[in-house]
Amino acid sequence: MKQFEQVQQSWRKRLAWLAGIWLASVATLGLAAWVMRLLMRAAGMGS
């Protein structure tokens, strides 16, 4: 029974890491897009 709980906790940690990495990557991509948008607007490419 104890081994089952350890495996279950391990999966929870893995899923938490997966969600954390996914959120960080989405946030980084959004930040990069925002910076590119600012640079393009500064170069006169804005609408």
Side-chain angles (χ1 to χ4, degrees):
M1 192 68 173
K2 190 171 184 176
Q3 187 177 7
F4 177 73
E5 291 173 0
Q6 288 176 344
V7 169
Q8 199 172 18
Q9 282 184 339
S10 175
W11 273 103
R12 285 182 186 160
K13 280 185 178 180
R14 289 179 185 181
L15 286 175
W17 271 105
L18 178 69
I21 290 170
W22 180 78
L23 283 173
S25 64
V26 169
T28 302
L29 184 62
L31 181 65
W34 179 70
V35 169
M36 286 180 69
R37 191 174 180 179
L38 288 178
L39 290 174
M40 290 176 70
R41 187 174 292 170
M45 294 185 213
S47 55

